[in-house]
Every structure is written in C-alpha cells, then in structure tokens.
Amino acid sequence: MSDLSLPARSRRSLSLHDKKVRGIFYQVLLAGSLLALALGIGIQTASNMRARGIPLSFDFWNESAGFDINQTLIPYDTLSTYGQAFWVGVVNTLYVSFLAILLATLLGFVVGIARLSQNWVVSKVATSYVEVVRNVPLLLQLLFWYNAVLKPLPPPKSSIAIPGGIYLNNRGLIIPEIQLHPGAGLVGLAFAAAVFCSIAFWFYAKRVQRGTGKQLPVFLVSLAALAGFPLVMFLAAGEPVSFITPHLRGFNFQGGHQLYPEFAALLIGLSVYTGSYIAEIVRSGIQAVPKGQTEAAYALGLSPGKTLRLVIVPQALRIIIPPLTSQYLNLTKNSSLAVFIGYPDLVQIFAGTVLNQTGAAVQVMAITLSVYLAISIVTSMAMNAFNQHSAIVER
Amino acid sequence: MRSILKCLIAVAMACTASSAWSATIDNVKKNGMLTCGTNSATAGFSLPNNEGKWTGFVVDYCRAVAAAVLGDAQKVKFIPLTPKDRFTALQSGEIDILAHNATWTSSRDTSLGILFAGTYFYDGQGFMVRQADNVTSAKGLDGASICVTQGTTTELNLADYFRSQSIKYTTVGFADEEAVVKAYEEGRCDVLSADTSTLNASRLRMAKPGDSVVLPELISKEPLGPAVRQGDDQWFNVAKWTLYVMVAAEELGVTSKNIDAMKSSDNPNIRRLLGVEGGIGKDIGLGDNWPVQVIKQVGNYGEVFDRNVGKDSPLKMERGMNALWNKGGIQYAPPIR
C-alpha cells in the first residue's frame, strides 16, 4: 500500500483507503443492495398480482373454509375459518414430526449401537437395515408403507380383532376410548406425585452414592412408584376410568379412537428413514471416542453396559448432537411429503386446499414457508442449547 | 464490486420488464402453439391414447381454440394439471387457457383473477358405492369414509350436503384424481364422490367396473367450463365464441363432414357462421373463416360429445342437460351475427 509510510493514526479523514471504513462501506452497500432487491421483487410481485386480478390481501383468513378434515387435534368443523384450518395443519405437522423424531431417535440409537455389537447377526442385521433404508428415496418408502402394507389390510367387516377391544383394518387401528369419571383427576394427581417422588429419590440416591459409594436401586423404586401410586388410587377411587369399546355399525367402527393409515404410514416411513441416518451418526459418534476411554473404564472395573452409559455415550453425544439436529430439521421438512399419501398436514391442508379454494397463492406459500422456517429455527435453538449443556466444561 | 452492482441492476430491470405483458392471442400466434391446461387422466375428457396423443372432450375444446386462432387443431401443447394446481397455473401465465373439469362458481369468477367463458358440460355431483354394500340412497351413507379430490367443489358440496342431512362421514382426500380412484378401488373408502361424468369415467378404468354403482342423488350443480385470465377481453371472447360456434353449428346442422356443401347453403345464419357473408372474424382478431376451421378440424358440439363421452364412446353418456335447448337440454348459443 502507498500510505504505509504514514502513521495510521494521522489519517483522520474518512477515506476509502482506510481498511475499516472501506469494510463498513462495502457491507452497507451489500446489505442495501440486497434490501433494495428484496423490496423491488416485493413491489413488482404486488403490482403484477394486481394487474392479473389475483387477490393480494389476507382477508380470506377469517372466511369460512367449508371443507372437512378427517384428522384434527384441535376443534375444527366445516364452519370453521381458513385460519383455523391453518392451525389444524400446523398442529398435525408438529404432531407427526414430534412423534417421528422420538421414534427415529430411539431406533437410531438402538441400531447405531447394534452395528458395533460383537454379535455377528445383530451387527449385520443393523448394517443391512441402514444400507437398504438409507438408499431408497423417502417418497417410495412412504408409498410402500401406505399402499403395500397398510391398504391391503382387511376391510372393516373382516377386521383383525386384537384382544382388549382393538381392531385393525384398512381404515386404521381402532382402540377403545378412555372415558373419565369423577375421581379420575385423583389418579392423575397420584401419577404426578409419583413423578415428583421418583425425582426426589434420584437426588437422594445421588447424594448417598457421593457420600458412601453405595448405589440405590433408583430404576426399580421409580418404576414401582410410577405404576403403584396411580394403581392404588385407581382402586381406592372406585375405578373411575372406563373404556368405550368400538363396535362395527354400518360402514365403519363407531366409538373408540382411530389411528388412520395415512398417519401411521407417514409416522413409520419418517421414523424408519431418518432412523437409519441417526444410526450412522450414533455409530460414528461412538467410534470417534478414543479406545483408551473404554480401556480405562474397564480397568476401573466398570461393566460394559456402565462403560457405554457413563463413559462412551456422554462423550459421543458431543459429536452426535450437531448432525442429529440436521436430521431433526430434515425430518420435519420431509413430513410435507404427507401430501402424497393423504395425511392432512400443513402442506396438504393449507398450501393445498386453502390455496386452491382462495387463490391466494403468494400469501399462502409465504405463510407456509415461514412456518417451516420458524419450526426449524426453534428446533435448532433447542438442540444448540442441549449441545452447550453436553459440551466439555473446561476446568 | 461493480460487476455485482451491474448484476443487481440487471435483475431489477428484468423484474420490471416482466410486468409489461402482451395480449394472450398475440402470444399464441407468436409461439404458433396454444398451451392448454387439462385434466391429467379422466377417461372421455382428457387422456392420452395408445399413441400418446391427447384425446377427450376438453382436449377437443382446446383443439377447437387452436383451430380458431392458428388454423391448425394440432398446434396445442397440453399441460396435465391436478385440480389443486389448475387455477394457479392459469393465474401465473403458465397456460393460455384452462380446459379442465372445473366448475364455474361465483367465487372462482370473482376472486381468483380468472373468468369462466361458458359451460361446455352441465354436470352434477354424485356418489359411487360398492354393490355389495347394498346402499340405494345417499341417505344411507351414515358413518361412511368418502374419497374425494382435494381442491374441488366436491369437497365443499360434501360438507354442505352431509351437514344439512346431519349424516356423519369422514373424508379421505388426495391431490391427484388417480390416487383417489385407487384408494376407493383398494377399499380405503366406502364411497367415491365426484361429478357424475368423472364417476362414470373412473368406473370404466377400474378392474371390476360391475362391482360399483352410482347412486341416484345428484347433490349439486356443476357447470364445467373453460377459464381464462381476467383483463384480456379479446382472449375471453375467443374462448367464449369458440364454444358457441360449436353449439351453433350443431343447431344449424353443420358438421365436419358436410361443411363444404353447407357453404353454398341459402340459410343466412349458416352463411354468416361460415364466413360466406358478413363474417365474424375481424373484430375478434381472427380471419373470417375461423369457424370453418373449428368445425372442419374438430367438429360441432354434438360430434365432439358423441365421439368422446356419448353414444360413440365407451362411456355412453346420455346428452341429458347437454342436449340443445330445442331438444330438451340447456345448451344454447347466442345468435352469431
């Protein structure tokens, strides 16, 4: 540079030759251009839409939707508004994603650990699962579960009856409906008390172990409390819970809860598919923990199970969590494939029927994109917090 | 940096330029091709045949428009659309005209930025059930699972009908018409509900057509018609009058076979229709013989009906409401003059 000979401090004026000023100048320029571009596109879209007579407002939100949705977790009927239909879609998407994340994580951890098993059969079964599932497109898997596994089930009239008033047919899995009578709240209260006691006992056991080295049977005691407290209260309150068993009337079963095949296919498909990726993440995470850690744990006399639980997994988690986050985000976004098997998720209800019914394509797509963005950001933030929690604490 | 700025300016200008768009008829003439949105697979209405050539009732309407504008009924590019996507495709300019089994309703006419240009098929919504279920009326459908296509008036009519009858039901909806029929065939639903024309067409393609029956009730009015974008009156007229010319030709007894002989007819109405005297081409932006091209290459309304869905087709549908107004139906063309 030409001004190397001058002391930097003597140049007081704002000049593009100043590295700092130049940096700021270009950043402002870039941000401004991007903003102008976004604004330009927005204004242009709006004027094009006006020119073509496409509705621009969000007035449709409070208009009556007039169509039915077969699976809703929140109140909805044909007289509800498009806005309520939107929320039904959001809740359905969150519901299936949440359950699928739980199942996929469980499956992934089991299979990932199984792949490292000394047992030849177990490790080969796990490997084949990963290789087969990971290499087939998700959409095909969903269509497989829906069309090849669940739809060929018998029709309602020849349902497969499972003891306990459960029926399985091509309309889904129908289970008895739980009916609560007065006093049922006490059972719930007993359960809450059991949870509280278990946690308290866990803390107590930890303190005992720290003081004396003695280990208390935390798992067994918690299990006994969680099962026993509600059971005792259930009997004491005069069995305040009853079941409405489903029965076949006309075309379908009446009474009882129904788990639809569309939902089941999506849940199974997403869990099995994402599970295979998580299995690989878990396997690589465990293998990344130095072998010396295992050897040290064995040398201290820890059993293989305890070594895995107390030494390997906590260290592997640090490696596992960041890629696991991506898988959770992928799973949530993949749930939009529901459209192909008729599960009423956000895309099917809102970006499908509502968009078509109202013609407000730009607004509806913008809202749908924002929802997925928001879900992803919240998931990321939660996982980052968990990652920080499990990171190495420097002492 | 300067090159980035240039890029940005270029993009911004490209966006602005796209707002000035020319009339549809000029675009079609310039491209030498009509882009027409149709059903993806509805027998009798829009379906590729064994040679991969599109055939059907709405397909023939598109060919008629191409014959009118370009003088060649083969210059059509067909874009198969699901009911869910069809209006967006028209709004965004992906297609020039929508010839779908789309029902003309007030809200679609006023809030989607599109206009329906007439009714080429008067239909009504019905129910198809399995014979083995012994149902004779829609009132016996309590608790049934009903398969429907998403984004159709079918979905809305169902909700209205069953609410007014206080009958409980569940819908199973798919975006794709074929998936809906498949779900019914495989027993996922007890009932298939759609316009009766579609029901009949779907039954024809089932493995066992005899196992299903269509219930007598029609629960709605479904006038199916072509649609164009709002704000292009000339193109709207082309779409509207192509249809009327076909209806008028049937009324006047002009067919694709006798059209050359008809040109020497003494009937002033026929002479005007065929452009022999006082033709109707100039003001609409077409040549005076455009009705001749339509009738000669595609046929009159009756010929198109019989060939695709009527007595000469496997569907064997009655003319019913779609007969001419003077033959017991309601198909009626305003005077061509």
Side-chain angles (χ1 to χ4, degrees):
Chain A
M1 281 192 190
S2 61
D3 54 3
L4 269 183
S5 55
L6 291 168
R9 233 171 278 163
S10 74
R11 300 186 125 265
R12 285 286 162 120
S13 64
L14 283 174
S15 158
L16 276 181
H17 293 291
D18 189 329
K19 209 173 162 189
K20 218 169 172 183
V21 174
R22 200 171 56 209
I24 292 172
F25 171 72
Y26 281 144
Q27 294 210 18
V28 169
L29 193 67
L30 182 66
S33 313
L34 288 176
L35 203 70
L37 183 66
L39 209 67
I41 291 175
I43 291 170
Q44 195 55 55
T45 309
S47 86
N48 281 349
M49 283 168 68
R50 235 189 313 271
R52 297 183 182 200
I54 301 170
L56 254 172
S57 73
F58 288 87
D59 292 347
F60 67 86
W61 197 260
N62 291 319
E63 284 166 19
S64 166
F67 62 91
D68 269 304
I69 303 172
N70 61 11
Q71 299 165 64
T72 62
L73 292 170
I74 53 176
Y76 176 88
D77 61 44
T78 53
L79 297 176
S80 301
T81 62
Y82 287 119
Q84 280 163 297
F86 163 79
W87 285 112
V88 170
V90 171
V91 171
N92 279 352
T93 288
L94 288 174
Y95 178 57
V96 75
S97 304
F98 178 73
L99 288 180
I101 281 175
L102 287 186
L103 286 179
T105 309
L106 197 68
L107 189 67
F109 269 79
V110 169
V111 174
I113 292 169
R115 271 201 80 176
L116 298 171
S117 165
Q118 305 288 330
N119 185 319
W120 191 84
V121 176
V122 169
S123 96
K124 285 297 171 255
V125 165
T127 308
S128 347
Y129 158 71
V130 168
E131 290 308 331
V132 169
V133 170
R134 218 161 50 131
N135 291 313
V136 176
L138 175 58
L139 179 57
L140 292 186
Q141 294 190 32
L142 290 178
L143 292 175
F144 166 79
W145 289 111
Y146 186 54
N147 287 318
V149 178
L150 296 174
K151 262 207 268 175
L153 287 168
K157 279 176 187 124
S158 40
S159 299
I160 302 167
I162 300 165
I166 302 172
Y167 295 92
L168 184 65
N169 56 39
N170 62 6
R171 306 294 158 78
L173 183 73
I174 298 111
I175 55 171
E177 196 176 328
I178 299 170
Q179 211 175 27
L180 302 174
H181 303 293
L186 290 174
V187 179
L189 219 60
F191 183 75
V195 170
F196 178 76
C197 289
S198 301
I199 294 173
F201 184 72
W202 181 61
F203 273 108
Y204 170 72
K206 246 185 157 176
R207 220 176 57 206
V208 168
Q209 192 183 0
R210 213 165 275 157
T212 65
K214 233 175 91 185
Q215 289 185 352
L216 298 177
V218 179
F219 180 72
L220 285 178
V221 170
S222 307
L223 192 70
L226 290 175
F229 281 27
L231 187 71
V232 169
M233 190 51 86
F234 177 72
L235 296 173
E239 306 184 11
V241 179
S242 69
F243 295 96
I244 302 175
T245 37
H247 57 279
L248 188 64
R249 192 166 66 84
F251 289 101
N252 282 307
F253 278 88
Q254 310 291 322
H257 286 297
Q258 192 171 0
L259 186 68
Y260 287 86
E262 291 81 23
F263 170 77
L266 187 64
L267 181 64
I268 298 171
L270 286 175
S271 312
V272 168
Y273 180 76
T274 313
S276 69
Y277 282 90
I278 294 179
E280 282 297 88
I281 292 170
V282 169
R283 178 192 59 76
S284 61
I286 289 174
Q287 282 184 326
V289 176
K291 203 165 189 300
Q293 295 285 327
T294 317
E295 285 162 359
Y298 286 166
L300 286 172
L302 292 182
S303 66
K306 278 222 169 92
T307 304
L308 193 68
R309 202 155 46 84
L310 298 174
V311 178
I312 310 294
V313 170
Q315 298 188 70
L317 269 185
R318 288 173 201 145
I319 307 161
I320 290 171
I321 289 169
L324 194 61
T325 310
S326 312
Q327 288 307 325
Y328 288 176
L329 300 184
N330 279 345
L331 187 148
T332 311
K333 288 180 284 181
N334 285 341
S335 72
S336 60
L337 290 173
V339 154
F340 292 94
I341 51 171
Y343 173 70
D345 78 325
L346 178 65
V347 174
Q348 159 146 28
I349 296 176
F350 194 62
T353 306
V354 172
L355 187 160
N356 186 271
Q357 236 51 289
T358 60
V362 173
Q363 298 91 310
V364 165
M365 287 322 284
I367 293 173
T368 309
L369 295 180
S370 315
V371 169
Y372 279 101
L373 188 65
I375 294 175
S376 292
I377 289 175
V378 170
T379 313
S380 281
M381 277 172 23
M383 291 300 284
N384 284 345
F386 182 50
N387 192 26
Q388 237 148 34
H389 172 77
S390 61
I392 294 180
V393 184
E394 303 274 357
R395 279 186 244 261
Chain B
M1 193 63 215
R2 194 160 290 163
S3 60
I4 296 177
L5 263 181
K6 265 187 193 161
C7 277
L8 289 181
I9 292 167
V11 169
M13 280 172 69
C15 290
T16 327
S18 70
S19 74
W21 42 311
S22 46
T24 313
I25 192 164
D26 297 332
N27 267 341
V28 173
K29 282 179 179 166
K30 201 178 79 205
N31 298 335
M33 188 66 86
L34 174 77
T35 311
C36 181
T38 57
N39 302 46
S40 43
T42 310
F45 285 85
S46 165
L47 192 70
N49 67 7
N50 296 338
E51 288 126 46
K53 194 173 166 246
W54 286 89
T55 58
F57 185 83
V58 298
V59 165
D60 276 351
Y61 171 76
C62 287
R63 294 200 190 283
V65 175
V69 180
L70 301 167
D72 186 348
Q74 302 308 315
K75 289 189 174 156
V76 191
K77 187 174 158 201
F78 291 99
I79 310 273
L81 297 166
T82 63
K84 194 164 78 83
D85 301 328
R86 55 192 173 184
F87 299 124
T88 318
L90 182 63
Q91 285 174 337
S92 63
E94 191 188 336
I95 53 175
D96 299 317
I97 189 163
L98 180 74
H100 214 281
N101 286 24
T103 305
W104 183 2
T105 68
S106 62
S107 68
R108 285 175 176 175
D109 236 9
T110 53
S111 72
L112 296 181
I114 65 170
L115 285 177
F116 280 84
T119 303
Y120 44 45
F121 198 97
Y122 290 98
D123 210 339
Q125 183 177 338
F127 300 99
M128 184 186 277
V129 293
R130 270 177 281 274
Q131 207 137 34
D133 283 334
N134 284 326
V135 179
T136 51
S137 150
K139 300 205 166 57
L141 293 178
D142 192 23
S145 303
I146 303 182
C147 277
V148 290
T149 314
Q150 248 194 308
T152 55
T153 46
T154 313
E155 252 184 322
L156 305 177
N157 295 331
L158 268 186
D160 283 354
Y161 179 76
F162 284 103
R163 194 177 78 227
S164 66
Q165 300 284 331
S166 310
I167 300 176
K168 271 176 70 176
Y169 75 111
T170 48
T171 53
V172 182
F174 298 89
D176 181 20
E177 288 164 299
E178 283 188 272
V180 177
V181 177
K182 194 162 163 247
Y184 167 77
E185 256 197 293
E186 288 174 353
R188 174 63 187 87
C189 316
D190 306 299
V191 184
L192 178 62
S193 187
D195 297 345
T196 38
S197 60
T198 311
L199 288 181
N200 285 315
S202 306
R203 183 163 61 176
L204 210 62
R205 299 183 72 203
M206 287 179 185
K208 292 177 188 157
D211 285 2
S212 295
V213 284
V214 177
L215 296 180
E217 284 100 335
L218 290 186
I219 62 167
S220 68
K221 293 194 286 190
E222 306 284 342
L224 313 179
V228 295
R229 279 182 292 279
Q230 273 177 21
D232 189 344
D233 296 354
Q234 189 186 15
W235 187 242
F236 177 63
N237 271 331
V238 170
K240 185 165 62 180
W241 286 97
T242 302
L243 178 58
Y244 286 147
V245 155
M246 292 163 81
V247 175
E250 187 186 6
E251 192 180 327
L252 296 169
V254 183
T255 67
S256 56
K257 295 185 187 68
N258 69 9
I259 185 163
D260 289 326
M262 279 292 190
K263 275 183 191 159
S264 49
S265 159
D266 298 332
N267 185 337
N269 284 323
I270 295 178
R271 291 174 72 82
R272 256 196 305 276
L273 176 71
L274 302 182
V276 182
E277 59 187 50
I280 55 162
K282 191 167 66 64
D283 295 335
I284 208 170
L286 302 169
D288 273 346
N289 79 332
W290 73 267
V292 176
Q293 298 300 338
V294 169
I295 299 160
K296 202 167 185 173
Q297 297 185 36
V298 182
N300 69 31
Y301 181 85
E303 286 179 280
V304 169
F305 190 100
D306 291 344
R307 177 168 71 224
N308 293 301
V309 294
K311 60 180 178 354
D312 301 332
S313 76
L315 281 170
K316 303 257 180 287
M317 284 193 216
E318 298 285 328
R319 283 294 286 269
M321 269 192 289
N322 291 300
L324 292 180
W325 60 283
N326 51 9
K327 295 197 179 129
I330 50 176
Q331 282 293 359
Y332 181 100
I336 309 270
R337 68 183 308 146

